Amino acid sequence: MTVLDIRAILEHLPHRYPFLLVDRVLELEKGKRIVALKNVTINEPFFVGHFPHLPVMPGVLQIEALAQAAGILSFQTMGRVSDDRSVYYFVGIDSARFKRPVVPGDQLRLEVEIRRVARSIWKYAGRATVDGQVAAEAELMCTLREIEPAANGAAEAAAPASGDQ
């Protein structure tokens, strides 16, 4: 069972503040599952506008947190770290459901299991909970794409199979 602190998380994800949504990995079984945490604080930039009178973490960011946990699991499973030669894209979100609001002071527990890997598409089942209550759940699909150098020297990423990003 693997445990990762924030320094190791930063090696496995390209995301940085304010878009890094995983604070700690509690459990990781390569090729199987991950349990991670997102500590939700009033200092999150999205609370300024969502909603000023009743701060609630947007559901899409809960799903993004699950996807980031899935990315860590996939990189660990592949024995890789995030680098500037590849990008890990979302290619699908199915059956997303939001069951309870996530508010400042909550600790979002992110549980993701690999369901299958086929032709570079990884499919996961994800569930985010707060104090044992389901906040969000979804089936996620992601793919790793190598970045091709562009003619002008800038990097260009190959588009995901479905065209979604």
Side-chain angles (χ1 to χ4, degrees):
M1 196 80 57
T2 303
V3 175
L4 301 176
D5 65 11
I6 192 64
R7 291 182 308 266
I9 290 166
L10 291 171
E11 290 178 7
H12 288 86
L13 290 177
H15 306 81
R16 296 297 181 262
Y17 179 84
F19 213 67
L20 180 63
L21 299 174
V22 177
D23 294 319
R24 175 170 289 163
V25 173
L26 301 176
E27 302 172 21
L28 189 147
E29 292 179 68
K30 292 178 183 179
K32 294 183 181 180
R33 67 185 196 91
I34 188 171
V35 177
L37 296 177
K38 165 62 180 153
N39 295 308
V40 182
T41 73
I42 192 64
N43 297 322
E44 308 286 351
F46 49 80
F47 285 137
V48 173
H50 197 270
F51 302 98
H53 64 286
L54 180 65
V56 175
M57 183 178 189
V60 295
L61 293 181
Q62 295 172 47
I63 300 298
E64 173 65 24
L66 288 167
Q68 289 182 20
I72 295 167
L73 175 58
S74 296
F75 278 119
Q76 279 274 311
T77 298
M78 292 184 286
R80 292 183 63 162
V81 293
S82 178
D83 59 40
D84 61 357
R85 296 179 310 276
S86 62
V87 65
Y88 203 65
Y89 281 118
F90 243 144
V91 295
I93 304 167
D94 294 320
S95 304
R97 296 290 179 266
F98 305 97
K99 309 279 184 154
R100 83 178 287 286
V102 176
V103 299
D106 284 346
Q107 188 172 65
L108 199 59
R109 182 180 170 99
L110 309 165
E111 302 170 4
V112 178
E113 291 182 15
I114 296 173
R115 292 298 168 131
R116 72 170 190 250
V117 181
R119 291 186 297 227
S120 78
I121 303 290
W122 295 64
K123 188 163 186 178
Y124 315 88
R127 174 177 286 177
T129 62
V130 174
D131 296 329
Q133 295 179 316
V134 176
E137 57 190 1
E139 296 172 6
L140 312 171
M141 289 179 288
C142 299
T143 190
L144 182 68
R145 296 284 189 220
E146 300 303 319
I147 297 173
E148 303 290 331
N152 65 5
E156 286 184 359
S162 69
D164 295 333
Q165 296 181 10

